[in-house]
Amino acid sequence: MSSNVYVYILVMAGVTYLIRLIPLTLMRKEIKNGFVRSFLHYVPYVTLAVMTFPAILNATANVWSASIGFIVAIILAYRGKSLFMVSLLACVSVFLIELIL
């Protein structure tokens, strides 16, 4: 079992290295395709959203309180409020909904 752990670590290191090496070796020219450029521009934001959204829904005891807190945060962020104000009011809304439910 313990020797398998080292094999797993070596395989993961190789895969991680290849994932980073292959684009560097295959794509030496500047990407001029607008679709590919816009796709690559939005990849980090989509990845962050995909990782964050399920955690938001599972962070509270009830999905409805999490959803309402998420909606409050989106509305406040869209209106240009500060990060502190958005997080504070989202937490307060979740707390109030948890008290009601």
Side-chain angles (χ1 to χ4, degrees):
M1 179 69 183
S2 64
S3 64
N4 287 340
V5 171
Y6 296 116
V7 172
Y8 296 151
I9 291 172
L10 285 174
V11 169
M12 288 299 297
V15 169
T16 303
Y17 182 73
L18 286 177
I19 288 173
R20 294 172 188 214
L21 178 70
I22 288 173
L24 286 175
T25 57
L26 296 180
M27 292 186 254
R28 294 202 171 255
K29 296 179 182 176
E30 180 181 351
I31 298 172
K32 295 181 180 175
N33 188 343
F35 177 75
V36 174
R37 288 179 63 94
S38 67
F39 175 77
L40 292 175
H41 177 74
Y42 289 111
V43 165
Y45 303 111
V46 171
T47 304
L48 183 63
V50 167
M51 291 190 313
T52 306
F53 187 70
I56 290 171
L57 293 180
N58 293 326
T60 62
N62 192 340
V63 174
W64 291 106
S65 63
S67 300
I68 290 173
F70 181 64
I71 291 169
V72 167
I74 286 178
I75 291 170
L76 292 174
Y78 184 74
R79 291 184 173 215
K81 302 297 180 188
S82 67
L83 180 61
F84 179 74
M85 182 69 72
V86 170
S87 61
L88 180 69
L89 291 178
C91 289
V92 167
S93 67
V94 167
F95 179 72
L96 291 175
I97 296 300
E98 289 281 331
L99 286 178
I100 293 171
L101 296 177

